[in-house]
Amino acid sequence: MKIIFPLLIFFVARSAMSIRITSNGLKRLSPCSHCQCSFSWKIDEPISNYKVFNHTTGISTALREQAFTNYDNTHREVTLTLSFCQIWDSGNYSLEITQGSSTFTDSTACLFIYGNLQGSLILSSGQEPATEGDTLEFTCDVASSSLPAAYRPIIYYSWEILGDWQPETTFSGPFLNPHGNIISGYIVKNNGRTLVISSAQPHDQYIRCRGREDGGRDVIYISHSVKIGHTPYMIFISPRSKKVNAEVGKLVKLVVIWMSHPEASTNTSWEFVNRSGVSQNLPPDSLISTEYSYTMTSLQFNFTSHEYYGNYSFKLINAVGSTTFSAQVLPQGPPETPSNVLITNVTHNTIDIHWNVMWSNSFEHQQTVFWRLIHVENGTTVEYSNMSYALDIYNTTYSHRFKYNIQPKTDYKVSVWSQNKLGSSDVVELQLRTRDQPEPIATTISTKVAEQSKGKAEGRIWYSSWLARN
């Protein structure tokens, strides 16, 4: 007995030693019909009995079919292979080893299968229907329904704000990144899950949240529509430039489609103001079609007279406010001749002139007014210059002073005309004589419009009014 007892003590100590298990185990992949995933556990002792479980829910369950295990005694390695990986295979896998009366477990093998995203998007702060200017807060929650909370991957959020159903005027964006105040008036917080609109506008009525798993390919879009009270606004206009070039005999058609919440009043109609700013009746054959069920109106008429050049407007009114659409019906051609061209002051070495800019007659091409001072005796040009004007300038007075190389008691000729890409106006010419003394003498010289030759400022026949001075 004295000899055997030490050997028995050695055997018991040997069986009580712990077995170390090392897993290679964190796998992430997308589901597919031919994918497989494998885990391996390294064991530092030979084993005779082992099991592999799926205990994602906290309760160990048997592996499904097409899940295979293998023990390589040479390399002391247990391998788990899952074929045809699908979303429901996600979870935590454990290796359990029984050695004598002891059980050893490793639960560090985790499998994430991306996909099957589900989520919700709610108005978490603010009221609905909202009013223009309100603060609205939206919260989006996205997760993979196949995974318990502890195993769900990180979700990255982004936001999109869409406007009206008409693609020509859709408010596309802003696309908001997961963090920070990206665009004035829009704030994302709570790791990208929450969008705050600090001052709601009509185009904020359609909110869309995008959720994507970290490392995964699956993306989910969740939308929320909110009614925002606002003044009526136009979402489609024809023509889009709000300007129409018309000629006698031409058909003119204006179309407006609008959005309004609450609905706009039906007690509205088209109005016409001519180019002189005087309100007039619509052209006699005007055809107006207004469909409030589709929030659309149109005005159509045959252009029969130049008196119908001007501004056509349509006003919409609801409980929040009003909006007016307007379009101009304009001629198409060279600009009108500058009017009221006058010499306002003459001295021995300066000449002051002014003129009124008239209609450009083109909504695409701005007009340029030219002026030239010519020495009558030798025909040389003393000064030549020009100025371009905005398209909407009309009947506005401008002036210029000739002050370089002006000689006393000398005859000069002043020419003024206007031009755009479609041609030139008539030329207005004045002839005068400078003073022989430095004291200025104010005078006004009448003008006549010169005939134009082939639409050019050169080669014209001109008529002049003389101010003869000795």
Side-chain angles (χ1 to χ4, degrees), residues 343-376:
I343 296 176
T344 56
N345 194 55
V346 178
T347 71
H348 69 295
N349 62 357
T350 64
I351 302 170
D352 292 341
I353 65 171
H354 82 188
W355 63 88
N356 283 19
V357 177
M358 304 305 289
W359 295 111
S360 173
N361 287 347
S362 172
F363 64 81
E364 297 175 337
H365 310 298
Q366 65 181 9
Q367 64 173 316
T368 301
V369 173
F370 296 82
W371 56 88
R372 173 181 289 168
L373 182 66
I374 299 175
H375 192 290
V376 173

Side-chain angles (χ1 to χ4, degrees), residues 14 19 43-48 71 73 76 99:
R14 177 70 175 173
I19 297 178
I43 305 130
D44 64 349
E45 297 287 337
I47 61 173
S48 58
Y71 174 57
N73 188 47
R76 296 178 183 175
Q99 194 79 335

Side-chain angles (χ1 to χ4, degrees), residues 154-170:
I154 297 173
I155 300 294
Y156 292 104
Y157 294 88
S158 60
W159 297 84
E160 184 178 4
I161 301 176
L162 302 176
D164 315 308
W165 55 272
Q166 283 290 338
E168 291 85 357
T169 54
T170 295

